[in-house]
Amino acid sequence: MQIYKSYHSAVKTSYALGIQNQVLPNSFLKSIPRSTSQSWKDIPADKFVGNEFASHIENDLEQLKTIMDARLKKMRLAFFCFCRLYLTILEFTGRKNFEKIILQNKESVIDLVNNLPVEFDRDLICKFLQITPHQFKIWNNNRLYRCLFTAIGYCRKRFPNQISQKEINILKSLMSRKRFQTWSTASVWGYAIKKCHIPMSRASWYRYCLGLGVSEERKPENKPRKKGSVKATRPNQIWHIDVTEFVTADHVKFYIHTVLDNFSRKILAYTISRDKTAKTRLISLKEAILSQFKAELSNQDLDLIADGGPENDNFRGRNLIRNSKSLVNIQLKIAKRDVTYSNSVIEGNFKILKQFLRKRGEVFSHTFHKEIAFFVRDYNEVRPHY
């Protein structure tokens, strides 16, 4: 009685795909009858769903067999420990932080990869370090064209898109000007663009300022950032009101009541007083309403965002809102109570104000009103806001 052999479907698939010589041993191939193997070769590869993945699966299985070989037990344990350590580092630091660490230590990474033995696959090492082989090639090539006499440290002929020495002098002059010592770096850049002093993007301006040492890198904030506030689509759609305090060098406390437009970030009105009361609060609010809504136009709506302090939420304020309906329909909304967002827009303005006062040096009570008036005019009319 003749016994027929039944071959595994993987063997038939390998013949149909034409990869039998790569995945099957030569001795086994010779044992298969020629007529049988020829019939398998005639099977169209499209008959098998997922045939495009077959070769990858076979390669993965072959690699797995190699790794699980008993003779590689110690090496396998060491490799698995290394993989666990690598994944733990990525989990602790985070992918973005790991990439940032690699970027900060770029020179050490270049030396590490270049000094590896020839047997090591450099592309694989780059992927392990979370950088692409192309990026590493750029880093390695740029290293050959170092120059100590340029702003970014590279040869001007090799990298012609650098700014000229004349533009560097303009940048240094603007950043060191006493007039701009209370401005942010972005505002100085905006002034340079408006006056056509230098054609440069804001990101490039930041980078050159750091490279030339005329500004310091911003320190990371340890506190979690607050959620963003509301955004208006036109002027006089949303206003913010709040009060802040400042103690002068001669120990006199002042309260600054401000009305701020959400869309333009313009200071619409302000009052300075020695006390924090509802009456003082209403002076600046009334001034802002009369200056911005002079004409009696219908269907003018305004959201007024305020904190829940008694100087903001009181019967005097509600009476003013009711009496102003001929000019504008005001809806008073208390932050974190009537709406989910905070009043952080005007708090950011107060932060800019106090930075301005600190950079001006010692501010005394007899000059405090002039300092605030100068800040408001400079903030509203002179300083660029990108």
Side-chain angles (χ1 to χ4, degrees):
M1 183 178 179
Q2 186 178 0
I3 300 175
Y4 292 95
K5 295 180 180 179
S6 179
Y7 292 95
H8 196 276
S9 59
V11 177
K12 301 177 183 179
T13 306
S14 65
Y15 272 90
L17 298 175
I19 59 173
Q20 68 278 5
N21 294 326
Q22 288 81 17
V23 299
L24 299 175
N26 192 34
S27 58
F28 179 72
L29 293 174
K30 291 181 179 180
S31 66
I32 301 174
R34 181 176 178 81
S35 59
T36 304
S37 62
Q38 189 63 39
S39 64
W40 293 340
K41 290 179 182 180
D42 294 336
I43 299 175
D46 297 339
K47 179 181 178 181
F48 302 100
V49 179
N51 65 83
E52 65 273 16
F53 308 115
S55 59
H56 299 291
I57 294 172
E58 295 292 345
N59 291 334
D60 292 341
L61 290 174
E62 192 63 32
Q63 292 176 5
L64 183 60
K65 290 178 183 178
T66 305
I67 293 174
M68 298 306 295
D69 194 300
R71 293 167 292 181
L72 301 176
K73 183 177 180 181
K74 291 185 177 180
M75 295 179 64
R76 182 171 64 249
L77 292 175
F79 176 73
F80 287 156
C81 291
F82 172 77
C83 291
R84 291 193 192 98
L85 176 62
Y86 175 66
L87 294 175
T88 303
I89 292 173
L90 285 180
E91 185 177 352
F92 284 165
T93 61
R95 186 183 181 88
K96 290 186 177 180
N97 289 334
F98 185 80
E99 293 174 354
K100 188 176 181 180
I101 293 171
I102 295 298
L103 186 61
Q104 291 174 346
N105 299 275
K106 182 169 59 175
E107 297 299 324
S108 300
V109 171
I110 295 173
D111 292 334
L112 172 66
V113 177
N114 286 336
N115 294 329
L116 288 173
V118 182
E119 293 78 9
F120 277 84
D121 186 351
R122 281 165 170 72
D123 291 350
L124 186 61
I125 298 298
C126 289
K127 292 179 181 179
F128 165 75
L129 296 173
Q130 302 295 325
I131 57 176
T132 63
H134 177 69
Q135 182 64 54
F136 175 78
K137 186 178 180 180
I138 294 175
W139 289 356
N140 207 17
N141 290 339
N142 291 351
R143 195 179 192 183
L144 302 175
Y145 303 101
R146 286 296 179 83
C147 180
L148 300 176
F149 302 101
T150 59
I152 63 174
Y154 294 109
C155 176
R156 197 179 299 278
K157 291 183 179 179
R158 183 68 180 180
F159 300 91
N161 292 330
Q162 301 180 53
I163 62 175
S164 63
Q165 188 60 44
K166 179 182 178 181
E167 291 171 326
I168 290 176
N169 295 335
I170 293 174
L171 185 148
K172 287 183 176 180
S173 174
L174 291 175
M175 289 298 295
S176 60
R177 192 176 296 180
K178 187 177 180 180
R179 172 69 180 84
F180 302 142
Q181 67 176 355
T182 59
W183 287 18
S184 65
T185 303
S187 294
V188 181
W189 165 79
Y191 176 85
I193 294 295
K194 286 180 67 177
K195 299 297 182 181
C196 300
H197 289 321
I198 185 171
M200 187 187 302
S201 67
R202 182 163 55 92
S204 298
W205 184 276
Y206 279 130
R207 186 172 67 254
Y208 278 107
C209 285
L210 289 173
L212 295 169
V214 296
S215 66
E216 296 180 357
E217 190 172 359
R218 180 178 294 181
K219 297 179 181 178
E221 296 183 0
N222 295 326
K223 296 181 180 179
R225 296 189 65 179
K226 298 180 180 179
K227 293 183 178 180
S229 187
V230 65
K231 290 185 179 180
T233 57
R234 58 175 175 82
N236 296 328
Q237 181 185 14
I238 301 173
W239 285 0
H240 299 267
I241 60 173
D242 203 357
V243 58
T244 188
E245 61 182 45
F246 185 83
V247 181
T248 60
D250 50 349
H251 306 291
V252 179
K253 181 184 290 188
F254 287 96
Y255 293 96
I256 308 164
H257 301 76
T258 304
V259 182
L260 189 77
D261 180 58
N262 180 282
F263 182 80
S264 63
R265 299 295 197 269
K266 180 181 179 181
I267 299 174
L268 303 175
Y270 72 95
T271 52
I272 304 172
S273 64
R274 296 288 305 279
D275 55 355
K276 184 169 65 172
T277 61
K279 185 177 181 181
T280 309
R281 164 76 280 169
L282 294 181
I283 294 174
S284 58
L285 181 57
K286 187 176 181 180
E287 180 185 343
I289 294 173
L290 294 176
S291 64
Q292 299 298 315
F293 299 97
K294 294 179 181 179
E296 294 188 6
L297 301 176
S298 59
N299 299 324
Q300 293 190 97
D301 296 323
L302 172 67
D303 288 342
L304 187 64
I305 311 301
D307 290 335
E311 71 279 1
N312 296 323
D313 189 11
N314 53 73
F315 75 95
R316 292 177 182 269
R318 288 190 288 272
N319 288 337
L320 176 63
I321 291 172
R322 192 181 306 110
N323 296 332
S324 302
K325 282 191 175 181
S326 59
L327 297 176
V328 58
N329 298 319
I330 302 176
Q331 296 292 329
L332 178 63
K333 297 181 179 179
I334 305 301
K336 294 295 185 71
R337 191 186 74 184
D338 300 329
V339 290
T340 58
Y341 46 82
S342 66
N343 204 16
S344 59
V345 173
I346 196 168
E347 292 170 0
N349 177 265
F350 288 149
K351 185 177 179 180
I352 296 173
L353 168 62
K354 292 182 178 180
Q355 287 177 345
F356 165 84
L357 293 174
R358 283 194 293 268
K359 290 181 179 179
R360 297 282 286 185
E362 291 187 337
V363 179
F364 294 93
S365 57
H366 62 278
T367 61
F368 186 73
H369 288 74
K370 291 183 179 180
E371 294 287 353
I372 299 299
F374 176 81
F375 167 78
V376 173
R377 188 184 69 83
D378 182 71
Y379 181 84
N380 283 346
E381 303 173 14
V382 182
R383 181 187 304 187
H385 298 274
Y386 66 91

